[in-house]
Amino acid sequence: MQQLTVFMDIESSRSYIDELYSSDPERVVEALVMLKNSVIGSNRQKSSVIQQGVVPRLLQLMSDETLDPNIKLEATITIGSLAKGTPENVKSLVDQGAATALVDLLKSAPLGTKVAEAGLCALRSVFVHPPAPVSSLPADMSLLTRLTQIACDGSATARTCVVRILSIWCCGTAEQEALCAAGACEAAAALMVSAPPAAPALPALDLLANMCFENSNVSQVALNTRHGDKTIPDLLMSLVSRDKPLLVAMCAARCLTFMHRAGALPADDSRVVFGALPCLARLCTKEMPEDIRATAAEALAYLAEVDTSLQRLAAISNHLMTSLADIVNCPSAAAKQGAFKCFASLGANDEDIRKRIIETHGLMVHVINGMNNPEPLVRLAAVRCLHSLSRSVQQLRTTFQDHAVWKPLMQLLNDSPGTELLTVASSTLCNLLLEFSPAKEPMLDQGAVEMLCNLTKRPEAALRLNGIWALMNMAFQAEQKVKQRILCCLGTEQMFRLLGDSDTRVIMKTLGLLRNLLSTRHHIDAIMSEYSSQVMQAVIVVLEGSYPAEVKEQALCILGNIGDGEKAKDLIMANEDVLRKLVDYLAHPESKLQEAALFVAGNLVWRGEAGAAARQARLADLGVLRALKLLRARHDAQHLHDKVKTALAQFNEFT
């Protein structure tokens, strides 16, 4: 039946489709009008016409400058109608070059003509179907200037179409800068004051938001752009008020948010504090439509993400906590995602706010459910929320343990998630593995060591960092069997690879892991009895390499820990190169390296321990005693005076 219907469609349209190729302009126009009328409102007819291969002829008629203007107009309108069909219809048009042909038409069609307006309408219809063919619109300054001129001076339809096209096209820094240079900020400002506000203003606000997002240059231009006697932020401030349509207020608040985050508006700017923030908090309330609440929560999360003062202000605005807790219950993935993100931002820095979030009725159950949600973005937002809350020592000891949040977290990590989710989840794991967290033991039983060691082998620096950081936390004040398990699983080869990492933070945490492994005297001796050559080699690599001072400081602290072992200190004493480096670092101009070297020397010369006199004599011969005396005399090392004095007091007959 369906095949018969398609056949009848083809038969009924074949007569006037054939006329499209006529040499008589009147017959061509007549055929175009019939074709246009046949496809309006019928996706089935649109598909049929496209399948019959008519599009190339329509594009040819649209583009030929020698033809009757009515032919160009009707062909353009027909392409625009076809572009309002199914996503498959639009893809077929794009594949056949319709988007590029429409852009070429806009380059040459006189401004204000029906053909130019039809071309804009058609191109907008193509662009609103994702993925938009953004590459068909080049960053050509004359073309962009022409389009922004239409946005300022064209008809209401043309202006709305242009701004919609450009807002979709503006998807990166190059496009943001090009549009700014072409005068798009001025065009957006003009459209904001047009009446009625919801028509051209909405796409203009979308365009402005996309231009300002994470772009300090464009945001600064927008800050200083005026329409009449008002700047863009002032215009936006007037649009976030309660008497404006919800979408307009939302989009205006997003623009102010993006300008703040790009550095154009400070956190204490009145248009942020009394404009964007209270508007977004109001739009999160229960009376608002769900899609508005979801977008407002996400925008508010971004607004307050990095500034503690805005986090504190948002937390007491318009019963926001209650609103967010209600949004989490909404059925849509976008709503849950926005609420979790907003909770994560609010709790990023303030312990009191984290406590209030935790105490929100049923929230932890929602977070755990969110981590099991089938939507990846909801899972990611739930883990972000958990990560923010996991910064609280008190919650790690109580609420997190009560709800066993480590279970779904470990499940997520073992399910091979995407890189972004893996990064946030492993950051959260770092916090859960702190010494005071009760989750530490059960996570060990679930294979946390092996999973973290695998993370240190990932190509992404953030994942290597999280892996080694979590292992460092796990090793802090851990039992000897845990330390042995970490060393055995990680392996010394991987340890050396991490010490040569391109990211200094990874090197620092690797040394931090070694430092935590080599703590507690009997642990030090046990580990050094098995791994002495590898550990000493690792320390020497750092001390001899061109590492920053803070890295070398960690290596010296490891030596200091080794020097606290009963037997392990002999390994340092047996290595003359290391002892000579110790003398050098006691005289180093960097204060933190002097202090770290002093820590090593103090442990090696401590009297009352077996072999102390022999060690003191050897160190005195190598110049350690002299270096300590010189350090005592230095005016720029007065803050170390007490520690130097203690170390010197250990040298019995040598002082």
Side-chain angles (χ1 to χ4, degrees), residues 500-618:
D501 201 277
S502 57
D503 191 320
T504 303
R505 297 172 303 168
V506 173
I507 300 170
M508 285 287 285
K509 298 305 176 189
T510 305
L511 292 169
L513 168 62
L514 269 176
R515 192 173 169 183
N516 285 348
L517 291 170
L518 294 165
S519 62
T520 309
R521 179 165 284 192
H522 67 279
H523 291 184
I524 295 168
D525 287 332
I527 288 171
M528 289 303 290
S529 68
E530 190 172 347
Y531 295 98
S532 60
S533 61
Q534 296 95 326
V535 172
M536 292 300 291
Q537 186 183 347
V539 171
I540 291 168
V541 162
V542 173
L543 293 179
E544 289 184 343
S546 55
Y547 291 94
E550 60 267 21
V551 175
K552 290 178 180 286
E553 179 189 18
Q554 285 290 314
L556 285 167
C557 288
I558 291 168
L559 273 184
N561 283 11
I562 296 170
D564 189 41
E566 288 183 27
K567 299 175 183 176
K569 55 169 56 80
D570 294 337
L571 296 164
I572 301 176
M573 296 304 302
N575 194 317
E576 190 167 318
D577 284 344
V578 169
L579 296 177
R580 293 193 183 280
K581 284 182 177 57
L582 181 59
V583 175
D584 294 338
Y585 282 112
L586 284 169
H588 200 281
E590 188 78 49
S591 174
K592 64 177 71 172
L593 295 181
Q594 291 175 353
E595 188 168 1
L598 188 55
F599 169 55
V600 182
N603 279 348
L604 291 177
V605 302
W606 200 258
R607 75 165 70 148
E609 294 191 347
R615 285 192 297 275
Q616 290 172 5
R618 175 134 169 79

Side-chain angles (χ1 to χ4, degrees), residues 243-477:
D243 62 333
K244 294 296 186 289
L246 295 180
L247 272 176
V248 171
M250 164 77 73
C251 292
R254 286 178 77 243
C255 290
L256 288 169
T257 294
F258 292 172
M259 291 180 70
H260 160 62
R261 287 300 305 272
L265 294 173
D268 59 356
D269 189 286
S270 62
R271 292 158 296 194
V272 175
V273 174
F274 301 114
L277 192 149
C279 173
L280 292 171
R282 172 174 63 87
L283 294 175
C284 285
T285 56
K286 200 169 186 176
E287 298 74 33
M288 300 296 163
E290 184 176 327
D291 58 335
I292 292 284
R293 300 179 80 192
T295 308
E298 182 136 4
L300 188 50
Y302 187 61
L303 176 66
E305 186 176 21
V306 297
D307 189 89
T308 305
S309 64
L310 290 178
Q311 291 159 10
R312 288 172 178 158
L313 183 60
I316 58 172
S317 294
N318 216 325
H319 306 290
L320 181 62
M321 296 291 194
T322 305
S323 297
L324 292 176
D326 188 70
I327 295 173
V328 169
N329 280 314
C330 291
S332 73
K336 296 179 190 298
Q337 181 185 337
F340 284 138
K341 280 187 175 180
C342 201
F343 275 131
S345 287
L346 296 180
N349 298 302
D350 191 289
E351 182 67 17
D352 289 337
I353 296 176
R354 282 195 285 263
K355 188 172 184 292
R356 288 180 58 199
I357 294 172
I358 289 283
E359 290 172 352
T360 301
H361 180 68
L363 179 65
M364 289 309 298
V365 174
H366 287 302
V367 171
I368 291 170
N369 290 339
M371 290 164 68
N372 293 314
N373 193 284
E375 286 290 332
L377 290 177
V378 175
R379 294 199 297 273
L380 176 61
V383 176
R384 284 195 188 284
C385 181
L386 185 66
H387 179 236
S388 179
L389 300 176
S390 72
R391 297 186 177 111
S392 167
V393 173
Q394 180 61 32
Q395 304 311 328
L396 284 174
R397 283 176 169 160
T398 55
T399 308
F400 278 33
Q401 181 67 8
D402 293 343
H403 291 275
V405 296
W406 61 270
K407 289 182 180 178
L409 188 66
M410 286 293 291
Q411 185 62 49
L412 270 180
L413 287 163
N414 287 322
D415 285 346
S416 302
T419 301
E420 189 175 8
L421 180 54
L422 189 56
T423 303
V424 182
S426 54
S427 291
T428 310
L429 196 66
C430 286
N431 293 341
L432 294 185
L433 285 168
L434 289 169
E435 179 270 333
F436 46 75
S437 170
K440 194 170 181 178
E441 283 299 321
M443 289 170 69
L444 283 168
D445 296 337
Q446 292 294 317
V449 172
E450 292 73 19
M451 186 265 293
L452 293 171
C453 288
N454 286 333
L455 279 186
T456 70
K457 299 171 186 174
R458 292 286 297 237
E460 302 89 351
L463 292 178
R464 294 197 303 277
L465 176 63
N466 286 347
I468 198 66
W469 197 334
L471 287 170
M472 183 188 81
N473 286 349
M474 184 184 287
F476 181 68
Q477 294 186 359

